[in-house]
Amino acid sequence: MVGAVVVRRGRVVGRGYHTRAGAPHAEVVALRQAGARARGATLYVNLEPCCHYGRTPPCVDSVIAAGVREVVACMRDPDPRVNGKGFRALRAGGVRVRVGRLRNEAHGLNERFLRYAASRLPFVTLKAGMSLDGRIATRAGESKWITSPRARAAARRLRRSHDAVMIGVNTVLEDDPGLSAAPGAGGSGPPDRRGSPPVRVILDAHLRTPPSSRILRDRARGERVLMALPGVSRWRKRRLERAGAIVLEVPGRAGRVDMRRAFAALGRRGVTSVLVEGGSEVLGSALDAGVGDRLVLFVAARLLGGRGALPVFGGRGAARLGAAARLERMTVRPVGPDFVVEGRLRFPGRRVVRG
């Protein structure tokens, strides 16, 4: 997400933003609007101008050709094709460059892209709808619906903002979800803003997903990826592939797909962000592996109680308080009768990828 403005003698003479992949970049749009007034002006932009040929020509060439006197940018682009090279090209072309103003704000705007560009790993959001006492199902297994329609609509919007949505096979077997990102529950609707619907990912170590499941029956809304252990049944694999699934074999341990390797495999397929929706064991495995970047909890004002009620996070859990994940930059806001808790996850000992 990049925006730019051209300022000359204290007046904004051009502005633009990058609308979609393949469209002109923000700098080019702003410079076209400014026209001849860009000569001697200052260009403000939240990310380093690109200096390579991709779907569009290098932005630095347009900036230099327009006669811009100075570029003020919030931060470097960690993409290896850029990463300081754009600033060096501008300076070599006689343009003054200043970097660093509002860097934190700019990083927050593009945290998903920046993480992927720096590490080729997707940005991971852990999401759940739960009761006030941290349960996602009653002791009898009832889970629909703990949260309100307003909260569920917000969750669908969250799906549309990610490249992929991930669940475990137990959720498929118990709930048979469609994982619709459409505005209406279960209905058809527009794809996400990048032009394609989220990839739907099932962690299914032994390929227990039925070919008749809703996710596989719905072939109209994007790829369906099943992640299984190596050496899984060839017969089951062929049957699911005939049903439209893409089956990826991912190493694991203790009979489960390794979460870190699963996200690395998605990153190699160009997936830059993943929304992990559960259930309990998948969310717990992500927490145990220390792979979440952001946490979003939709909390209903209900108390389910009982040792048999399903917790949000299964898995092993932390043995010591010092090893527990922490939530930083936390916000709490109402969503209809419920509320949503959001924040950045921090795991002890994990290096933060800033980009």
Side-chain angles (χ1 to χ4, degrees):
M1 296 176 67
V2 183
V5 292
V6 181
V7 177
R8 185 180 185 190
R9 296 174 184 170
R11 290 183 60 241
V12 175
V13 295
R15 67 184 76 207
Y17 69 96
H18 187 209
T19 57
R20 59 178 174 81
H25 287 188
E27 303 93 318
V28 173
V29 176
L31 290 169
R32 286 175 181 172
Q33 190 179 105
R37 295 173 295 179
R39 187 160 299 278
T42 299
L43 173 72
Y44 295 87
V45 63
N46 61 296
L47 191 67
E48 177 181 7
C50 68
C51 55
H52 63 282
Y53 281 91
R55 299 187 187 184
T56 60
C59 288
V60 295
D61 293 352
S62 298
V63 174
I64 294 169
V68 168
R69 176 179 57 86
E70 181 180 34
V71 169
V72 180
C74 297
M75 62 180 296
R76 289 200 308 181
D77 183 342
D79 187 318
R81 297 171 297 178
V82 188
N83 200 18
K85 300 183 185 75
F87 293 145
R88 288 197 293 273
L90 289 171
R91 290 184 177 112
V95 180
R96 182 186 174 194
V97 176
R98 288 190 288 154
V99 186
R101 296 294 298 273
L102 302 177
R103 185 186 188 281
N104 289 338
E105 291 84 348
H107 189 278
L109 185 68
N110 279 311
E111 59 185 355
R112 299 173 194 177
F113 159 73
L114 295 170
R115 174 172 177 78
Y116 182 77
S119 66
R120 283 303 184 257
L121 292 172
F123 184 92
V124 177
T125 300
L126 308 184
K127 170 262 173 184
M130 65 180 220
S131 65
L132 201 57
D133 54 343
R135 302 294 200 268
I136 61 174
T138 69
R139 62 183 175 84
E142 185 181 353
S143 60
K144 290 185 178 181
W145 297 100
I146 290 177
T147 57
S148 67
R150 288 274 298 276
R152 298 197 296 275
R156 288 192 292 273
R157 289 195 296 271
L158 194 60
R159 287 176 187 167
R160 293 199 296 274
S161 69
H162 287 74
D163 286 349
V165 181
M166 175 184 284
I167 60 172
V169 66
N170 287 336
T171 299
V172 175
L173 296 175
E174 292 165 12
D175 298 335
D176 194 20
L179 295 185
S180 170
S188 61
D192 74 9
R193 63 187 174 203
R194 287 179 308 281
S196 58
V199 176
R200 286 166 290 177
V201 181
I202 303 172
L203 292 177
D204 187 359
H206 305 291
L207 293 184
R208 294 187 292 145
T209 298
S212 60
S213 63
R214 285 181 63 196
I215 287 178
L216 295 184
R217 290 201 314 269
D218 176 14
R219 302 193 179 198
R221 288 198 289 267
E223 292 183 341
R224 284 72 46 79
V225 175
L226 273 60
M227 309 193 100
L229 292 173
V232 75
S233 163
R234 299 296 99 182
W235 174 77
R236 290 185 179 183
K237 182 177 180 180
R238 286 194 298 271
R239 185 176 64 153
L240 289 165
E241 288 174 338
R242 285 197 296 268
I246 297 169
V247 179
L248 302 181
E249 297 185 29
V250 180
R253 60 180 65 181
R256 296 189 178 190
V257 171
D258 183 274
M259 295 293 283
R260 290 182 178 274
R261 291 176 182 266
F263 289 121
L266 291 174
R268 288 192 293 273
R269 294 181 64 85
V271 172
T272 66
S273 60
V274 181
L275 178 67
V276 180
E277 293 206 22
S280 178
E281 288 305 310
V282 170
L283 289 168
S285 296
L287 207 61
D288 288 341
V291 292
D293 296 290
R294 180 184 176 214
L295 179 67
V296 181
L297 296 175
F298 294 94
V299 185
R302 299 173 186 261
L303 296 168
L304 300 187
R307 286 186 294 274
L310 197 63
V312 176
F313 295 101
R316 297 187 310 276
R320 297 176 293 104
L321 288 176
R326 298 181 63 88
L327 201 60
E328 299 180 352
R329 288 185 264 165
M330 185 175 67
T331 62
V332 181
R333 58 184 175 83
V335 180
D338 306 324
F339 61 93
V340 58
V341 179
E342 299 183 61
R344 289 298 302 270
L345 280 165
R346 290 288 177 259
F347 296 90
R350 192 184 83 171
R351 184 175 68 88
V352 178
V353 179
R354 293 284 297 173

